[in-house]
Amino acid sequence: MTELHLWLRHEARTTERRTPVVPDDARRLVENGVELTVEESPQRVFPIEEYEAAGCRVAPAGSWVSAPRDAVVLGLKELPGEPAALTHRHVFFGHAYKGQPGAADLLGRFAAGGGALFDLEYLVDDSGRRLAAFGFWAGYLGAALAVLRHRGRLRAPLVPTTKAELDEALKPADADPDFTGLVVGALGRSGRGARVAFATAGVDPTCWDLAETRALDRAALLRHDVMVNAVLATSPVPPFLREQDLDAPGRRLRTLCDVTCDVGSPLNVLPVYDETTSWDEPARRLRAQPPLDLIAIDNLPSLLPLESSADFSAALLPHLLDFGVTGPWGRCLDRFRQANREHGFDKGDLRDH
């Protein structure tokens, strides 16, 4: 492979505890000839000393802005608002290709600086299946928080924990035979995680996937106590819930968890809210009588940072070792260029990557 310099940045979001590369995998990258610079980060679940011991260079938080231009800046969530022009190649979840708020601004920053976005959501194989994802843990946590909320046990603000601790909290304290749960998108990664959390909580959920959503029975949906949406729409589909459904007579639904959090996107299958919830206020009341609470946190896996980071890093490692502009990374770059054309940023100002 050609010499590669990866620059693991500190995450700007204060609740982001995860990392796309854990220290054990950082060591493997270094052993394979990758130069790896890791920024100091007081919130990252792994201390900087573990990266130093793995052979990584250490840099101050936020110093990626002055990194060598050929460095590939690696992160997970959104970039800080500055600099206005992005000159590097960046690898992270950009959320900029489905009409989300801020998408044009982010792409404009890349166009201004000549950099490129390799969006991790679009790191896929030949069949379109994602190669590294946090989906299982997002679904698991989404269902776990929804169950805890429904049972009156969800405490705010949320704090990172371990799976063992969360499993203990999920155990039903009392017989709860009438509890009904629904997982929409049950066969995907997130859906599988949601089903595991429900099972841990002693609940056998109804499971819907493509067949059930093609001819959605909203009345049946509303007969469940808790619904977890784990569907990531890639093309427009009729919404699963509409405003009028929330006021339907006899609605049993009391807790709605949207794992996908496509708020603001035209592909949003739950257009009944316009703002995500947070660690400080994880649930928002959508209706007072009968009560209906929403949980829509867009970095759920960060609540289990050790487990989710280890899984993601293991999946990403072989692709970082093969970083380039062909194969899965080439597909990422093609999607970035397509998005630039769609937004009018295709005037020849993007340098060859």
Side-chain angles (χ1 to χ4, degrees), residues 118-138:
F118 292 78
D119 195 310
L120 286 165
E121 186 176 335
Y122 296 84
L123 185 70
V124 297
D125 63 16
D126 291 337
S127 64
R129 181 173 176 79
R130 287 174 57 181
L131 296 170
F134 287 98
F136 175 88
W137 295 108

Side-chain angles (χ1 to χ4, degrees), residues 182-188 190-191 206-224 226-248 251 253 255-262 265-273 286 292 294:
L182 170 65
V183 180
V184 185
L187 299 183
S190 294
T206 302
C207 296
W208 288 1
D209 210 83
L210 285 175
E212 293 81 7
T213 55
R214 284 194 185 101
L216 190 74
D217 186 343
R218 291 195 182 90
L221 184 157
L222 294 169
R223 288 195 292 268
H224 293 83
V226 172
M227 171 189 164
V228 176
N229 173 53
V231 172
L232 180 65
T234 56
S235 59
V237 297
F240 298 163
L241 279 176
R242 308 159 301 181
E243 280 291 329
Q244 60 265 37
D245 299 320
L246 306 190
D247 298 312
R251 167 177 56 81
L253 186 65
T255 307
L256 170 64
C257 180
D258 188 8
V259 171
T260 305
C261 291
D262 253 345
S265 165
L267 304 184
N268 184 14
V269 297
L270 294 175
V272 294
Y273 71 101
L286 297 181
L292 174 58
L294 166 76

Side-chain angles (χ1 to χ4, degrees), residues 309-349:
S309 293
D311 279 0
F312 187 87
S313 178
L316 184 62
L317 175 65
H319 305 290
L320 290 177
L321 289 169
D322 197 31
F323 184 85
V325 295
T326 60
W329 296 111
R331 285 187 279 273
C332 286
L333 191 56
D334 288 344
R335 187 62 186 88
F336 169 69
R337 289 169 172 161
Q338 178 186 337
N340 275 282
R341 290 192 296 271
E342 292 167 353
H343 285 82
F345 298 130
D346 58 343
K347 309 304 183 187
D349 51 354

Side-chain angles (χ1 to χ4, degrees), residues 6-213:
L6 290 176
W7 192 287
L8 181 61
R9 62 175 168 87
H10 160 75
E11 296 288 335
R13 186 185 297 207
T14 57
T15 59
E16 190 49 73
R17 303 287 308 282
R18 294 172 294 174
T19 176
V21 177
V22 302
D24 283 347
D25 291 332
R27 179 177 288 104
R28 294 184 179 94
L29 288 167
V30 172
E31 289 172 350
N32 279 273
V34 176
E35 181 180 353
L36 182 53
T37 300
V38 180
E39 291 187 359
E40 296 171 324
S41 177
Q43 65 207 39
R44 189 186 295 125
V45 66
F46 295 97
I48 194 65
E49 291 79 10
E50 293 189 25
Y51 290 97
E52 281 189 289
C56 304
R57 296 183 180 182
V58 175
S63 57
W64 62 266
V65 298
S66 56
R69 188 161 180 173
D70 64 350
V72 178
V73 182
L74 178 60
L76 287 176
K77 299 300 285 186
E78 67 272 5
L79 295 170
E82 295 292 335
L86 298 171
T87 61
H88 295 92
R89 292 169 292 174
H90 282 259
V91 177
F92 70 106
F93 291 98
H95 303 300
Y97 299 162
K98 295 191 289 185
Q100 297 98 324
D105 289 341
L106 177 61
L107 292 172
R109 292 170 68 188
F110 279 108
L117 169 61
F118 292 78
D119 195 310
L120 286 165
E121 186 176 335
Y122 296 84
L123 185 70
V124 297
D125 63 16
D126 291 337
S127 64
R129 181 173 176 79
R130 287 174 57 181
L131 296 170
F134 287 98
F136 175 88
W137 295 108
Y140 174 87
L141 280 154
L145 297 185
V147 168
L148 292 174
R149 179 69 177 186
H150 185 73
R151 290 175 172 166
R153 299 186 205 161
L154 186 62
R155 301 290 178 258
L158 301 177
V159 294
T161 185
T162 65
K163 185 175 183 296
E165 292 171 335
L166 188 52
D167 285 353
E168 185 64 29
L170 281 175
K171 289 181 180 178
D174 307 297
D176 201 3
D178 296 327
F179 188 115
T180 56
L182 170 65
V183 180
V184 185
L187 299 183
R189 287 189 180 98
S190 294
R192 183 165 55 88
R195 288 186 283 123
V196 169
F198 270 123
T200 303
V203 178
D204 184 14
T206 302
C207 296
W208 288 1
D209 210 83
L210 285 175
E212 293 81 7
T213 55

Side-chain angles (χ1 to χ4, degrees), residues 270-324:
L270 294 175
V272 294
Y273 71 101
D274 57 9
E275 187 178 357
T276 57
T277 62
S278 66
W279 287 24
D280 288 335
E281 298 181 10
R284 179 183 308 127
R285 185 138 293 184
L286 297 181
R287 290 293 187 273
Q289 291 298 329
L292 174 58
D293 293 332
L294 166 76
I295 297 172
I297 297 171
D298 66 358
N299 67 334
L300 282 167
S302 195
L303 290 165
L304 288 178
L306 278 170
E307 294 90 343
S308 63
S309 293
D311 279 0
F312 187 87
S313 178
L316 184 62
L317 175 65
H319 305 290
L320 290 177
L321 289 169
D322 197 31
F323 184 85

